[in-house]
Amino acid sequence: MASTVQVIVLNGGSSSGKSGIARCLQAVLPEAWLAIGVDTLIDVMPPRLQLGAGGIGFADDGEVTVGAEFRLLEDAWMEGVAAMVRAGARVIVDDVFLGGIESRQRWEKVLRGLEVLWVGVRCDADVAAGRELARGDRVAGMAAVQAELVHRGMSYDVEVDTTETEAVESAKAIAETVAARVTGAADRR
């Protein structure tokens, strides 16, 4: 029986483990899922939009700012993700809700009418900061700044904490929730 969930949205701070969970979900879920992250969007933007101004900026203290040009492209990207789902793809979105509930509302708007599983990916700020340092590809301080910020005012269908839990275990917990939705949908028939 196919999953009723069409989109899994992972929200967590930088270095919280979202990308690892997304890869593990692709391995443990029975259907084929695409994993799409906001980092990919940033990587494909013109370099000038990766340096601040109208794009996305990374301050020395880890604060992230987003400009109007970035928002325009991000809106188009979000609509594109929703269009892929409407065309039949199942998608795992790896995002960082820097705008808190406003960020979620933007996704809710484009995903309206689709079956979405909202997942909070938490990680202790110190642990995330250690991962950030080990990665070497992030602005120092970003993980600590985002660890709690991205979860303010949020409610989720499921939450995982990667502080001491491996990505595969978090993915299995999420997959159980996806499977429960299949069972729940069958029970309602």
Side-chain angles (χ1 to χ4, degrees):
M1 181 176 288
S3 169
T4 59
V5 175
Q6 298 168 284
V7 185
I8 299 170
V9 178
L10 306 174
N11 173 46
S14 178
S15 299
S16 63
K18 298 177 307 298
S19 298
I21 291 171
R23 284 189 299 277
C24 289
L25 278 168
Q26 289 178 304
V28 302
L29 290 168
E31 303 94 4
W33 287 76
L34 300 176
I36 299 173
V38 70
D39 287 346
T40 304
L41 169 67
I42 294 166
D43 288 345
V44 298
M45 286 188 170
R48 69 178 176 78
L49 291 183
Q50 297 174 15
L51 302 173
I56 188 165
F58 304 95
D60 290 340
D61 65 357
E63 184 181 350
V64 179
T65 56
V66 177
E69 247 185 311
F70 177 89
R71 277 287 181 239
L72 180 69
L73 292 174
E74 184 184 34
D75 286 344
W77 173 72
M78 292 168 71
E79 289 285 351
V81 170
M84 286 191 306
V85 176
R86 288 188 174 89
R90 294 183 189 285
V91 176
I92 302 161
V93 175
D94 164 355
D95 204 347
V96 181
F97 289 179
L98 293 173
I101 197 71
E102 180 188 329
S103 295
R104 177 171 169 155
Q105 289 169 342
R106 292 175 66 229
W107 274 113
E108 287 173 336
K109 180 181 174 189
V110 300
L111 299 175
R112 188 167 286 124
L114 299 172
E115 188 67 28
V116 181
L117 183 73
W118 299 95
V119 180
V121 179
R122 295 184 180 272
C123 184
D124 176 81
D126 291 335
V127 171
R131 292 175 186 168
E132 173 183 75
L133 182 63
R135 287 175 71 160
D137 65 348
R138 300 290 160 115
V139 174
M142 209 163 48
V145 167
Q146 296 174 6
E148 290 302 319
L149 172 74
V150 299
H151 298 293
R152 288 190 190 142
M154 292 297 155
S155 63
Y156 299 105
D157 297 309
V158 63
E159 290 188 49
V160 294
D161 188 326
T162 65
T163 303
E164 297 179 13
T165 304
E166 293 296 323
V168 69
E169 294 306 316
S170 295
K172 287 177 181 176
I174 296 164
E176 287 174 13
T177 304
V178 171
R181 290 243 183 126
V182 171
T183 303
D187 291 346
R188 289 190 297 269
R189 288 187 192 140

